[in-house]
Amino acid sequence: MSFKKIIVLLTAVMLILCGCVQKNILEKETKTRKETKAIQKNEKTSYTSPVSYSDLSFYGENKAFIPSESTTQGLATGDIAPFYESFTKDCAFIEGRVTSLYEKTYEYSVRSSKFSENDRAYCYTVSVIYEFEIERVWSGDFTAGEKILIEDMQLFCGEQFYMNKGHKYLIPIRDVGEDIAILALNADTAEGETKRQTPYSTEYPYHPQIEKTADGYYFFSDDWTTLASEKAIKVENVDFEYGSVYYRDKMLLLDSKSFEENIKKMLLQ
């Protein structure tokens, strides 16, 4: 093949690749514009307090994630403490969509100075892992468009709240390190699966995450005292598929403009 023909062929390939990239960019921009217009249009809907939970529409699948029986069994028993906004002071806040989720079981053995010389405890820990596509960074060292894994361990035998595939959330997360929770057993050494899939975890999964509705409002509990302004609307008849019934009478709805003003105040505190 002549040098001229090679140049022509390479040029054609480059044009095709550029066309594919441009097409993907245009498709993403079109999708974003459509979602933005839909939110702007739908946010004209006015809610009067109280509003029924059944009147709210969320992104993604209507089917809620239901964990397996092993996932709901934690390492320890006890009462779950209430959530406080101050828990999230050092967290990053990111907003985006859950693109997938799955359960994982870790199996390992531990030795402790409290055991006899040759004794070891055989353990397992379960978690739910979310693939999360970030759309907006409110605080923290992340980038919009980035995909990260977030892992919530089931540490206590309590009713944990789970995020759902396709739904959009604004979540506080923190880096908890790579080791799974084995210190509850005062372990000196551990063998087996002792490293997490990801160091990122939501802050306090025994509390419902802030969720974005399809019409651009934010749905959250009144434990977020700074977010719960006078403009927040009471939500009644909340029917969580999973999680503590305690929060069913504590949920609020707030328009995006007021929410943004409030969360900026909170992050400055």
Side-chain angles (χ1 to χ4, degrees):
M1 185 181 293
S2 67
F3 179 75
K4 184 176 181 180
K5 288 183 177 180
I6 292 174
I7 295 298
V8 172
L9 180 60
L10 289 175
T11 302
V13 170
M14 290 298 295
L15 288 172
I16 292 171
L17 290 175
C18 289
C20 291
V21 171
Q22 186 176 14
K23 180 181 178 182
N24 290 334
I25 292 173
L26 289 173
E27 287 177 350
K28 288 182 179 180
E29 289 179 347
T30 301
K31 180 181 178 182
T32 301
R33 284 197 297 269
K34 286 181 178 179
E35 288 185 350
T36 302
K37 288 181 179 179
I39 290 173
Q40 291 174 342
K41 177 181 179 181
N42 291 329
E43 266 212 350
K44 294 178 181 178
T45 303
S46 59
Y47 293 102
T48 56
S49 186
V51 60
S52 176
Y53 180 72
S54 60
D55 291 334
L56 303 183
S57 178
F58 296 95
Y59 288 93
E61 301 175 355
N62 291 326
K63 183 179 179 181
F65 170 72
I66 303 297
S68 63
E69 183 177 351
S70 62
T71 303
T72 61
Q73 298 176 357
L75 290 175
T77 58
D79 294 331
I80 303 300
F83 171 84
Y84 293 97
E85 189 178 285
S86 58
F87 289 177
T88 66
K89 184 173 179 61
D90 298 322
C91 289
F93 278 79
I94 57 175
E95 183 174 335
R97 186 194 303 265
V98 175
T99 56
S100 67
L101 67 158
Y102 56 93
E103 298 169 275
K104 180 171 175 59
T105 300
Y106 296 87
E107 297 182 358
Y108 54 95
S109 63
V110 297
R111 291 182 183 274
S112 171
S113 57
K114 295 183 178 181
F115 301 164
S116 298
E117 183 178 353
N118 296 320
D119 287 346
R120 67 172 62 234
Y122 292 90
C123 315
Y124 76 91
T125 301
V126 291
S127 70
V128 176
I129 299 173
Y130 304 94
E131 184 180 88
F132 196 82
E133 184 174 5
I134 301 172
E135 297 181 353
R136 181 171 183 177
V137 179
W138 292 87
S139 68
D141 189 20
F142 294 94
T143 305
E146 182 180 0
K147 284 188 177 182
I148 64 171
L149 293 180
I150 301 170
E151 184 168 19
D152 286 341
M153 295 284 182
Q154 183 73 31
L155 302 180
F156 300 97
C157 295
E159 293 185 316
Q160 187 166 318
F161 285 87
Y162 301 97
M163 297 187 288
N164 295 312
K165 182 180 178 180
H167 288 224
K168 291 189 176 186
Y169 299 89
L170 195 165
I171 55 176
I173 66 169
R174 68 171 67 249
D175 186 330
V176 297
E178 62 177 6
D179 294 325
I180 63 174
I182 58 177
L183 297 180
L185 296 172
N186 295 315
D188 297 322
T189 61
E191 297 177 356
E193 298 176 286
T194 62
K195 303 299 181 183
R196 296 165 53 96
Q197 293 286 293
T198 171
Y200 299 126
S201 175
T202 66
E203 180 63 28
Y204 209 73
Y206 300 94
H207 175 266
Q209 300 296 346
I210 301 170
E211 185 165 3
K212 194 169 186 178
T213 67
D215 52 4
Y217 285 76
Y218 288 87
F219 175 68
F220 56 93
S221 85
D222 59 12
D223 286 339
W224 292 98
T225 52
T226 306
L227 302 181
S229 63
E230 295 180 356
K231 293 183 179 180
I233 301 168
K234 178 74 175 177
V235 181
E236 293 186 336
N237 306 314
V238 176
D239 184 22
F240 290 122
E241 293 287 341
Y242 214 82
S244 173
V245 297
Y246 172 76
Y247 289 102
R248 293 182 178 178
D249 297 323
K250 295 172 65 64
M251 303 305 293
L252 302 172
L253 190 70
L254 189 62
D255 66 276
S256 60
K257 182 179 179 181
S258 300
F259 182 89
E260 182 166 346
E261 292 172 354
N262 293 348
I263 194 171
K264 286 180 177 179
K265 291 178 184 177
M266 185 189 75
L267 294 174
L268 289 174
Q269 293 177 355

